[in-house]
Amino acid sequence: VSGNAERYAFGFTAAAGTETVLAEGETEYLAAREYTPVYLGVYSTGNGQPAETWAYFDWFTVERPM
């Protein structure tokens, strides 16, 4: 997840280092101003099909932009 005051981008980096952005959105639609914070979690999908394997996440990193 990356973002700034106006937009978030959601994606992943493959083992080879290739970055893929899956979706982008405006920040105002993810959190109500002065009410609810934005929560972040790891999610996987079978893309509409029954998943044949589990998705395991060893870790993920959240970095705050400088």
Side-chain angles (χ1 to χ4, degrees):
V1 176
S2 63
N4 57 37
E6 292 84 30
R7 298 188 66 75
Y8 283 117
F10 302 89
F12 65 94
T13 302
T18 305
E19 294 183 9
T20 302
V21 174
L22 300 173
E24 294 181 332
E26 295 179 32
T27 58
E28 68 180 322
Y29 298 113
L30 294 177
R33 291 188 178 112
E34 300 178 22
Y35 178 66
T36 305
V38 175
Y39 290 93
L40 172 67
V42 179
Y43 175 80
S44 66
T45 177
N47 211 19
Q49 302 296 318
E52 296 182 17
T53 61
W54 289 91
Y56 294 98
F57 301 94
D58 291 330
W59 57 268
F60 70 97
T61 302
V62 177
E63 297 178 7
R64 186 176 187 150
M66 296 282 210

